[in-house]
Structure formats: C-alpha cells, structure tokens
Amino acid sequence: MPCTTVLVGKDASYNGSTMIARNEDAGGVGHFNPKKCIVLHPGDQPVRYRSVLSHLEIELPAESLRTTMMPNAVPDEGVWAAAGTNEANVSMTATETITSNSRVLGADPLVLYQPARTEKKRQEDGTVIETEVSPERAGGIGEEDMVSIVLPYIRSAREGVRRLGDLLTRYGTYEMNGIAFQDSDEIWWLETIGGHHWIARRVPDNACVLMPNQLGIDVFDLTDAMGAQEEFMCSADLPEFMERYHLDLTMRGDMDGDEEEEPDEGLFNPREAFGSHSDQDHVYNTPRAWYMMRYFAPHDGTYDGPDADCRPEDDDLPWCVVPERKITVEDVRYALSSHYQGTPYDPYATYGNPSERGRYRAIGINRTNFLSIHEQRPGLPADFAAVEWVAFASNVFNALVPFYPNVNETPAYLAETPSRVTTDSFYWASRLTAALADAAYGSCIQAVERYQMTVMAKSRNILNVCDAAQTAETDPDLREKLRERANGEIAAMLREETDSVLKKVLDEASARMKNAFSRADN
C-alpha cells in the first residue's frame, strides 16, 4: 500500500522514547479500507497460518505474546494486522510499499502466486474432462501477513529483523516492502530486495527517518552486516548476489588523484543498487521526503527557489536527518498530516499559481486508513511504558489519541468497525468528518484544529493522571485495571468531541449546498 513512515531515535525525541509511525493508505483512487484497533491474545493466533492472497501456509511457534494490531475490519483479503505492540514492549509497523528496478527483479524475481492451470478436453463420447496441467504454486509473504507472523513472537527489535529476514529467505515475498521494528532502545528499518533478499539498518539515536514509498536506505556497510551487525544486517548471501548481478553502482578508485578519498570497499548506496529514480518518484514520492525535511530541519539548507539545496524532485534526499529540536508526538502527527502547507503545492491554497496546487502527492491524503505512532517511554515500569497513538481516515481532519497497549481489550469505539457506516465507530465518524470538512475547508478547518488540540490535550491529561496512579500502585493486576479505565475514559472523551466536531462540519457543509435558497436572495 502507498504509505509514509517516520522513525524517531531516542536521542531525537522529546522524552527519550523511541517512536515509529506510519500512515497506511489505501492502494488506489476511490479505494478505502476500514480498520479497527484490537488486542490479539495468544490463544487467538493459529499455529498453522494460511495467507489469503498468496495461499502460503506457514507453521507458527506454539507460544506467542499478547499483541495489539490494526487489522482490516472486513477480512476478505486477510488480516492485514498492519501495526502493533506486544507485551514485551516491541512494536512493528508493516509495511510501506517501496520501489525497485529491473536489474534486481530480474536477478531475484518476486514470488508470485500461480493458480492451478487446467485444460478441458472433449472425449469421443462428447463428455468434457478437465485435467490439471500445472498445480497451484503458493506465493511468498506480503503486507497481509508480516505483522501476524512476526510480532507475536519477538522480544526485541533486532529479533524482529532476524525473524522476518529468515522468513523472507525461506518463503520469499511477492512485493517490495519496508518494515520498522522498535523496542525501548533501538529502531531497525528493513527493506526487501527482490524476492528473497533484504537489508536492515539501525536508526541513529539522534536522527529521524523520513520514508515516502521508495527504497530509502542510502548508506550501507557490508563489513558490519556480515560481521558484528552493530548498525547493519542483511541476507547471508547479499555480497555474492550483488557481485554476480553487478548491482553495486558505487564509483570506486582514485577519482581526483587523492588516494585517501577512495571509498571503503564495504560501503555502498542501496538506493542506487536496488531502488529507483523514476518520473513517478518525482511526483509521488520524493516531494513527501522534501516536505518533512523542511519541517524537521528547516535551516539545514534551502528548500525553495531555483537554487535551493533540497528540491521536491531531488533523487538524493537523505534517508535520515538530525532534527533541529527534539521531536514530539505532535510533530510526527503534523508531518504525517501535511499537504504542503506554506508552499505553492498545497491543494487547499488560496494563493499562488493555481496550476501548482496539488502538483505533488500529499502526505495527509484522502484515502489514509489509519495512522499509528508507537511510543516506548523510558524510565517507567515495563507494563505501562508503551503508548500507542491511533487515528483513522485522513489525517488533515482526524484526531490522534493514545492508548495503553498492555491491556486485555481496547474500547469498542475503536475495536468495532462494521462494514456499514455508523457514528458508533471512530473509523466511520472520522471518515465522515473528513469528507464534509474537505468540501468546506476554509470555513471548517478552525473547528477541526480546535478539535484536534482538545482531544490531544485531554488525552495527555488522562495519561498523566493514570501514569501517576500506576506509579503509586504495586499490584500488577490493579495497574492493568487502571490502564483499561484510562483507555475507556479517553474513548468516551474522544466520542463526545468527535460527535461535536462532526455536527459543526455537517452544519457548515449543509449551508454551502448548491440548492440553498432564501427570499433574501432575490
């Protein structure tokens, strides 16, 4: 799915937490995937997993951990667990669809599902017999599967990389994907390479990563990956694979007579080797990275004008940047809600050249299914250190709320998303608010922004009170009840505020209907 990811190292965040966040966006124009937020208990996880899309069957470990997830509300194409946090305080978000090139896909083709092929033959007596010419061939693993077959079984971010890497090597994948793993100390980002290969890099503690549907890692150290694995990991045969198919495009040797500048033989640029620089990237992908860079590092070069250091269509925007100040949850939310505010490309702009508006694919797009931000807070007891922030539908108009994931169930307002439209569901209420407010953006956006601020402030207050109560409580069972009560308070507040803003934007949109008429109009 087309998505956008932000990863924040612990030294770059406002409170020393690691943070991973991703918008899951539906795949095509006019396509939407209703989502829900639930808790999966160990007894709910099958021992033999079968993928709906690729028909792949995998034996899963008998023991699993309690895990939150964001599955599709209608499971006709599988679970699509998407993101979550397990009881060991390890989080995962999967996946961001990324790009590749024909050299990679020709060397290691994607593992695609092949249905059985049959042939019909008419016999002499007139009967028709259908015989199997070739059997069904299962595909590899994909976005549908990854969180379900990895997150309930890992106890660290590194362990998540290794488990998924082993599964990719064994079963392959039918698509190119980027996956984030997080614990309280580390964040790792894994990118698939062709059908069976992969690379992973540890996010620097003082940096944030900005990922817009492209293969992103721009520096890789094979020496470390094949040795100590302090900052890098990869498929066991990656060096041989790259050499055999001439994938490393790094220029080596004495370029200007200074032998000391010869690059390290273990270093290469994965984006050049495995990624893409297409015309579509310049409209759909790189502008998103450019906008987030100018938000998190506004003085690290110039971003506007013909002589800018960083431009929306540049192919060499860095995978990670050191932000100019500590990053908050609110900052991550803003970045993943943005639509090029303050630039000529804002589709809601009333200034500038109209032909420039909407030129690039926005981050806060209309078909976002959900946003989740996973925060592993330091210095707190393990049972309530993790917080999962959740929003549904278009981030421009929705509200982001926190929940404690280490609970037995999530509130019904988030956990129950029927196929029918109803304001009893946070997903559907968010979709309705967004569609109505978009049609009357100028007159609705102030009410929406007040709603977003109010929900965030009241949510943080409930968290602060609950954190203090849990710190004073020594009984683990009672602490869990405090968390579930706080989650319920947040959900009740959220529903009240969402109903209120929905009425406001409904009234405004109704007043702007084209069939309006008054005697005073004459």
Side-chain angles (χ1 to χ4, degrees), residues 416-491:
E416 297 176 5
T417 303
S419 57
R420 63 182 178 85
V421 179
T422 170
T423 55
D424 290 336
S425 158
F426 183 42
Y427 171 84
W428 286 116
S430 298
R431 279 275 305 277
L432 289 167
T433 301
L436 291 167
D438 177 85
Y441 179 86
S443 55
C444 288
I445 194 60
Q446 285 189 333
V448 169
E449 289 175 347
R450 283 194 293 269
Y451 159 66
Q452 293 168 339
M453 173 72 79
T454 298
V455 169
M456 185 72 89
K458 289 184 176 181
S459 296
R460 282 198 176 277
N461 179 256
I462 295 171
L463 279 185
N464 290 337
V465 171
C466 187
D467 282 349
Q470 289 183 91
T471 301
E473 178 58 65
T474 58
D475 187 323
D477 293 335
L478 292 180
R479 286 213 298 245
E480 183 169 303
K481 290 180 180 178
L482 288 171
R483 290 193 294 275
E484 291 184 341
R485 184 187 306 163
N487 285 355
E489 290 177 10
I490 291 172

Side-chain angles (χ1 to χ4, degrees), residues 265-288:
E265 287 296 322
L267 296 178
F268 75 99
N269 185 337
R271 196 182 296 172
E272 300 292 346
F274 311 130
S276 65
H277 299 305
S278 69
D279 293 337
Q280 178 176 315
D281 288 332
H282 298 154
V283 174
Y284 199 83
N285 296 325
T286 56
R288 284 182 274 161

